[in-house]
Amino acid sequence: MYYPKYKSVYVILGLLLFLCLAVVACSQEPETVEVTRIVEVPGEAQTETVEVPVEVEVTRVVEVMIEPETAISTIPFEAQWAASGHADASAEAFVHWDEDDPAEIPARCAKCHSTPGILDFLGADGSDFGTVDAAAPLGTTVECEACHNSVTADLASIVFPSGAEITGLGPEARCMQCHQGRASTVSVNNSIVEAGLDPVADPDTVSEDLGFTNIHYYAAAATQFGTWAMGGYEYEGQSYDSKFDHVEGYDTCVSCHDPHTLEVQFDECTVCHTDAASTDDLVNIRMPGSLVDYDGDGDMSEGIFFEIEDLRAILFTSMQAYAAEVSGTPIVYDDHSYPYFFIDSDGNGEVSEGEAAFPNAYNGWTPRLAKAAYNYQASLKDPGRYAHGGKYMIQLLYDSIADLNEAIATPVDMTTLRRIDHGHFAGSEEAFRHWDEDGAVPGRCSKCHSAAGLPLFATEGVSITQPTANGLNCATCHNDLETYDIYVFDSVTFPSGAPVSFGEGESANTCINCHQGRSSTVSMNSSIGDLGDDEISDNLRFQNIHYFAAGATLFGTEVQGAYEFAGNEYVGKNEHVGAFDDCTECHSTHRLEVKVAECTECHENVETAADLLDIRVSEVDYDGDGDVTEGIAGEIATMTEMLYTAMQEYSTGVGADLIVYNSHAYPYFFNDADERYATWTPSLLRAAYNYQYAQKDPGAYAHNAQYVIQILYDSLAEMGADVSGMTRP
């Protein structure tokens, strides 16, 4: 039975129990005390509350002072951080302002040279994000709180000096806040405009108001993200590599560098780069996607590091020639003395004692020289440039040399220099940069124009939107980066719906997943429908075979990649000699070039790739020009030219607009007012399709010459051209 009037008694007993426990807890030795536990005992009709004495053993708790020297640190990775550059309190990066008045780190520098500064920038101190509001006190380095705070825990984006914002980042976003440089293409152009000059119209005008723009130091993120960040000076009209994609799992700051020691995680590198014995060997790395001689020294076994070094040396020679000839003031460079570029007062080409003094700072700047000097410095101040984005650096240096060449009396011979790689790895080119403004490669294009598209298609049989790519990479074709096995296809389906194969599991099948074109006789007939041959229709649109459809040419009528006219017969797969009848047997798999040395076994007069155009194995005069000694490529070229003339004559003859072709501008066919061609007839559309087909497979003469001659002959006949002197295979 519960009695409400005893409620206060229960409360008092509870308090006494708590006090007893507290008193006992003050003793160091366990002791036994007697307390009263209140329990409820069930009865048949009611519950009775009774008091039961219970002995409880408790322990007295006391506070014991620990001597400071015996305290144990609980800061993780403190020792690793303490030995890093981020913790070096004596480094110039942290003591540069010690003698200033006032003795403080200015707001423009505090973000990356003090912990209070970065907290201010992030807004972790309660201020607004993205700006440093005040100078920072001296005496701090990049401490734990700089990277580990409430803001960085969710930080996932970065804004570069160019204004470009990169989103969707992970922990590397913390690193990139500082390792991005402090200038860009935009900065250099602004400095030129502020000096009263036009970056394009006034390239060689000296201005005392124009100075050197410094990217700053360790701008690794700017190097890695290439044209997305525009950290280098990018010349108008040129395209550049974007973010350098290393292998999956090792393509961010924190996956390649220990985030506390900052050192490269070298042991991880050796999984793929087995020849590297130490970090010193990393400069020797050169991958199969770098198979051109960028610096022109004939050495394609040296690491990308050395290609960059040589190109920079060539650039500086050009800068000195330009400075003397155009600016009228000789220039020298000292990488240890600000502002780095000085007047070469004694003309010896090197910094002499006294020249690296601020009053002797270089003052003969022109827009052209300012751009080149910026790229020279950008290629030097990121020590890891060769690993972060070596090809972007090569492009910047190459373009600076080429630009200076326009103004100096003895230009550099650039015939041996190279700016870009072979097609699959040419990340700066349209095949990979086309979607940059869209931010992603759509599913209809991603299989062949993204690094991850083909692997997804190989494993899942689908193509979906993929991130934009910097060219293909190792993992695009190889499903194992230790054994370098490739994705296997037993057969490949072409746009016509026809499945073909070089043989079960043959590596060349991988190639024709992309080198097959995107249209066919089937898609052309579907778009034309029942329209009359010469009927002009607003509903017709040009269909593009796409580019390098070598597989479609090779297999001929088996896949109907070109437009095949009804009632005519066409040859099938071109059977070359047994050992050389597929993609990888005739082309280098990485360089993509024809294995010319293999051709010479049969074609004795072939010494270079250019000589392949002269190969002819038939005495038939296909094009009707009377020349049966020219290479078969010449026969195709003549017939292609004749088809273009016939198309123009046909177009005006049926009352349509004059048709004009531009191989470099989509959609390729225009009227004479330079507008998209819109007065198609089915016959003109078929002929234009085949004309483009012959243009966009540059190796058609070798892949299947007879097939291409057949479709050109039939197209000429469709256009009403005189083919009486020609021969159809």
Side-chain angles (χ1 to χ4, degrees):
M1 179 71 67
Y2 172 70
Y3 298 98
K5 68 178 180 177
Y6 294 127
K7 179 179 180 180
S8 59
V9 175
Y10 301 145
V11 173
I12 293 171
L13 288 172
L15 289 173
L16 288 173
L17 174 61
F18 175 80
L19 289 172
C20 289
L21 291 172
V23 171
V24 171
C26 294
S27 65
Q28 291 183 331
E29 298 296 329
E31 57 188 68
T32 301
V33 297
E34 186 177 279
V35 297
T36 302
R37 176 184 299 167
I38 300 174
V39 299
E40 293 181 347
V41 180
E44 291 183 1
Q46 61 184 5
T47 300
E48 181 181 359
T49 301
V50 298
E51 296 180 356
V52 181
V54 179
E55 290 186 349
V56 180
E57 186 178 87
V58 297
T59 302
R60 180 183 300 156
V61 179
V62 298
E63 293 184 358
V64 179
M65 292 297 293
I66 301 176
E67 294 297 326
E69 60 269 19
T70 64
I72 299 174
S73 171
T74 59
I75 301 176
F77 307 108
E78 182 179 20
Q80 293 93 323
W81 166 83
S84 74
H86 282 175
D88 186 358
S90 64
E92 177 68 10
F94 303 115
V95 302
H96 180 81
W97 303 269
D98 286 1
E99 305 301 322
D100 287 0
D101 186 13
E104 61 185 15
I105 303 176
R108 67 180 182 277
C109 307
K111 169 188 168 187
C112 300
H113 295 278
S114 72
T115 293
I118 187 62
L119 295 176
D120 186 347
F121 176 81
L122 295 170
D125 61 353
S127 62
D128 291 335
F129 177 89
T131 60
V132 179
D133 301 310
L138 302 175
T140 65
T141 58
V142 180
E143 298 167 353
C144 300
E145 193 179 3
C147 299
H148 302 281
N149 56 66
S150 59
V151 176
T152 55
D154 299 316
L155 192 63
S157 66
I158 173 69
V159 177
F160 283 91
S162 63
E165 181 176 14
I166 306 296
T167 60
L169 301 172
E172 69 273 13
R174 309 175 190 190
C175 315
M176 293 165 60
Q177 302 300 323
C178 288
H179 291 283
Q180 56 169 270
R182 294 192 56 182
S184 66
T185 301
V186 176
S187 310
V188 177
N189 284 337
N190 285 344
S191 71
I192 294 170
V193 171
E194 290 169 3
L197 302 173
D198 186 293
V200 177
D202 305 312
D204 303 312
T205 302
V206 176
S207 172
E208 62 181 11
D209 296 321
L210 183 60
F212 169 64
T213 303
N214 183 28
I215 189 173
H216 216 56
Y217 319 107
Y218 298 97
T223 307
Q224 185 188 25
F225 278 83
T227 194
W228 290 352
M230 297 179 70
Y233 185 82
E234 300 184 4
Y235 289 84
E236 186 173 356
Q238 296 290 351
S239 58
Y240 296 85
D241 273 36
S242 64
K243 179 181 181 290
F244 172 60
D245 287 323
H246 201 228
V247 295
E248 185 178 359
Y250 297 96
D251 60 352
T252 67
C253 316
V254 296
S255 59
C256 290
H257 293 263
D258 184 291
H260 297 101
T261 68
L262 313 183
E263 295 176 355
V264 174
Q265 302 190 68
F266 176 71
D267 289 344
E268 305 293 337
C269 303
T270 59
V271 173
C272 292
H273 305 293
T274 55
D275 293 336
S278 70
T279 54
D280 292 339
D281 295 330
L282 298 179
V283 298
N284 298 317
I285 291 175
R286 187 186 190 104
M287 296 299 290
S290 299
L291 294 175
V292 297
D293 184 14
Y294 306 101
D295 60 11
D297 66 356
D299 185 355
M300 287 198 296
S301 63
E302 64 183 352
I304 291 299
F305 171 87
F306 298 103
E307 300 276 2
I308 295 172
E309 298 306 288
D310 288 347
L311 282 170
R312 188 192 308 108
I314 295 171
L315 173 58
F316 189 59
T317 298
S318 298
M319 290 170 59
Q320 288 186 306
Y322 176 92
E325 296 174 18
V326 181
S327 295
T329 306
I331 191 171
V332 288
Y333 177 80
D334 184 349
D335 66 341
H336 298 298
S337 302
Y338 180 86
Y340 308 104
F341 291 97
F342 303 92
I343 299 170
D344 186 10
S345 56
D346 59 12
N348 69 353
E350 299 178 356
V351 176
S352 305
E353 185 176 353
E355 283 184 343
F358 190 80
N360 202 45
Y362 192 75
N363 60 3
W365 295 107
T366 69
R368 197 188 301 271
L369 187 57
K371 297 171 185 176
Y374 179 85
N375 280 345
Y376 182 91
Q377 178 84 331
S379 73
L380 188 63
K381 291 303 178 182
D382 176 8
R385 51 194 169 270
Y386 61 96
H388 298 146
K391 294 181 181 179
Y392 180 63
M393 284 297 173
I394 286 169
Q395 291 160 4
L396 297 174
L397 293 169
Y398 182 100
D399 290 348
S400 294
I401 296 167
D403 189 52
L404 290 173
N405 264 0
E406 296 180 8
I408 57 180
T410 306
V412 172
D413 180 7
M414 301 188 70
T415 57
T416 59
L417 306 184
R418 294 291 180 269
R419 184 184 189 274
I420 61 174
D421 300 292
H422 299 287
H424 288 175
F425 309 105
S428 62
E429 302 310 286
E430 182 69 7
F432 300 107
R433 299 274 62 80
H434 181 81
W435 300 270
D436 280 356
E437 292 186 2
D438 301 329
V441 185
R444 66 182 182 277
C445 308
S446 65
K447 181 178 74 171
C448 304
H449 295 279
S450 72
L454 183 62
L456 180 66
F457 181 77
T459 55
E460 303 297 334
V462 297
S463 292
I464 61 174
T465 299
Q466 296 285 354
T468 54
N470 204 40
L472 306 186
N473 60 33
C474 300
T476 302
C477 297
H478 298 279
N479 60 19
D480 188 316
L481 298 186
E482 293 187 31
T483 63
Y484 287 97
D485 292 336
I486 67 168
Y487 289 101
V488 174
F489 297 85
D490 290 334
S491 68
V492 178
T493 301
F494 274 63
S496 64
V500 293
S501 175
F502 286 108
E504 186 175 332
E506 288 292 327
S507 59
N509 290 339
T510 304
C511 308
I512 59 174
N513 274 283
C514 289
H515 293 283
Q516 58 172 250
R518 294 192 57 185
S519 299
S520 67
T521 300
V522 174
S523 58
M524 283 287 291
N525 284 337
S526 177
S527 68
I528 292 170
D530 297 327
L531 284 172
D533 289 345
D534 300 321
E535 183 178 346
I536 298 173
S537 173
D538 293 338
N539 294 324
L540 292 177
R541 295 290 184 271
F542 172 66
Q543 282 194 33
N544 184 28
I545 177 62
H546 217 55
Y547 319 106
F548 301 100
T553 308
L554 185 67
F555 279 93
T557 194
E558 293 183 32
V559 297
Q560 296 186 309
Y563 186 82
E564 300 183 3
F565 293 85
N568 293 339
E569 293 185 0
Y570 296 87
V571 298
K573 182 177 181 291
N574 177 25
E575 299 291 347
H576 199 232
V577 293
F580 301 101
D581 63 351
D582 70 25
C583 315
T584 58
E585 289 174 347
C586 293
H587 292 265
S588 165
T589 52
H590 294 104
R591 191 173 297 172
L592 311 181
E593 295 174 346
V594 176
K595 298 176 180 178
V596 176
E598 308 292 349
C599 303
T600 60
E601 293 184 15
C602 295
H603 305 288
E604 297 177 355
N605 295 328
V606 171
E607 295 181 358
T608 68
D611 295 332
L612 298 174
L613 298 172
D614 298 326
I615 293 177
R616 185 186 188 99
V617 293
S618 172
E619 295 298 321
V620 177
D621 182 18
Y622 298 106
D623 61 10
D625 66 356
D627 186 355
V628 293
T629 62
E630 65 181 346
I632 202 71
E635 300 276 355
I636 292 174
T638 300
M639 295 182 72
T640 304
E641 292 171 6
M642 294 174 67
L643 178 57
Y644 183 50
T645 299
M647 288 165 55
Q648 289 191 310
E649 292 175 353
Y650 170 91
S651 63
T652 56
V654 296
D657 293 337
L658 176 69
I659 191 167
V660 180
Y661 179 74
N662 184 339
S663 65
H664 301 294
Y666 180 84
Y668 308 106
F669 291 98
F670 304 88
N671 60 24
D672 53 1
D674 202 29
E675 301 167 332
R676 176 195 290 260
Y677 199 77
T679 54
W680 294 104
T681 71
S683 287
L684 185 59
L685 189 65
R686 297 175 188 127
Y689 179 87
N690 282 345
Y691 179 83
Q692 173 81 333
Y693 190 103
Q695 294 280 346
K696 294 304 178 182
D697 180 5
Y701 65 93
H703 297 144
N704 199 338
Q706 290 198 345
Y707 181 68
V708 176
I709 290 173
Q710 287 174 339
I711 60 119
L712 290 173
Y713 182 99
D714 293 348
S715 297
L716 282 163
E718 180 85 351
M719 291 292 93
D722 181 7
V723 296
S724 59
M726 301 180 189
T727 301
R728 186 184 192 276

